[in-house]
Amino acid sequence: MRCAVYVRVSTDKEEQKASLGNQKDLFIRYISDRGWDIHNFYVDVESGTTEKRPQLQQLIADARAKKFDVILAKELSRLARNGRLSYEIRDIAEQSKIHIITLDNAINTLKGNGQMFGIYAWMYEQESQRTSKRVKAALRSSAQKGLFKGSNPPYGYILEDRKLRISPDETPNIVRRVFRDYLSGKGFDHIARELYEEGFPTPGPVAGKKNASDKWHGSHSKANS
């Protein structure tokens, strides 16, 4: 039995990277105990609600090409957290005579245990929608309190106690200049060229990003305006 192992974590934080490694070890033991073969590990660091996960799309393409016999996932929600995508994967697997097995024992079509597929697909979709509502409510509450949730403050600002403050350096004046120049009729590329020629720092280096360019582009000016 050739196994396609799908592993998904939602972020690339260190604790999730450790979870990814632990999941791989779990699958290796599972496959080894049964004397099966690993066709490939398909690993995505993405939300389970999106279909644009590159490794999931590769798995689906390889399933259509019948490159393996079994799809292994920790649970159905690792593959998909919306019903339509769950059913699409199931239908492709059935058409290609590929089994789906989840390590939580909820789904195992090899043993004929697939009757609950629809219920689990619905359940995970509902859970995803509830989580989305909770996250949006938390973000809205933070915004109402004036708290900043991003990783880097906007150009011209600094972060103090999770609140945005105007930066004490020259960057706020650059932002004001961009606004004035744009309102006076200058285009974004024109503004960017002048800022570059006059040696003003771009957003990348100010944010401490490695290998950031010192050259202004129209998109920088557009973002600041």
Side-chain angles (χ1 to χ4, degrees), residues 5-147:
V5 182
Y6 184 74
V7 182
R8 178 182 65 79
V9 294
S10 55
T11 72
D12 59 357
K13 292 182 179 179
E14 290 304 318
E15 59 267 27
Q16 290 290 51
K17 290 178 181 178
S19 169
L20 192 154
N22 292 335
Q23 287 185 55
K24 283 186 174 181
D25 291 341
L26 191 65
F27 284 116
I28 289 171
R29 288 197 300 271
Y30 184 93
I31 293 168
S32 178
D33 288 346
R34 286 154 182 77
W36 295 349
D37 297 319
I38 298 174
H39 167 70
N40 194 18
F41 277 97
Y42 299 81
V43 180
D44 278 316
V45 182
E46 294 277 353
S47 165
T49 56
T50 178
E51 302 174 30
K52 296 180 180 180
R53 288 171 273 159
Q55 285 296 292
L56 178 65
Q57 291 305 315
Q58 186 61 56
L59 181 146
I60 290 173
D62 290 348
R64 287 195 171 104
K66 302 180 181 181
K67 292 185 178 182
F68 44 78
D69 308 297
V70 180
I71 296 173
L72 284 172
K74 186 178 179 183
E75 56 189 28
L76 185 59
S77 66
R78 297 293 93 188
L79 280 168
R81 297 188 73 180
N82 75 65
R84 191 189 64 76
L85 181 56
S86 297
Y87 286 120
E88 179 185 343
I89 293 170
R90 183 201 62 181
D91 292 345
I92 291 169
E94 288 180 349
Q95 291 162 10
S96 300
K97 294 182 171 53
I98 293 171
H99 291 285
I100 299 176
I101 297 175
T102 60
L103 298 193
D104 63 355
N105 296 315
I107 308 294
N108 188 332
T109 61
L110 190 62
K111 295 181 178 180
N113 180 16
Q115 304 93 328
M116 301 290 286
F117 191 98
I119 292 177
Y120 280 105
W122 175 84
M123 182 177 68
Y124 287 127
E125 182 172 37
Q126 295 301 307
E127 179 187 351
S128 176
Q129 291 176 358
R130 287 193 296 271
T131 299
S132 177
K133 288 180 181 178
R134 287 196 298 269
V135 170
K136 288 178 181 178
L139 291 174
R140 188 161 49 247
S141 175
S142 293
Q144 289 170 347
K145 295 175 183 176
L147 302 178

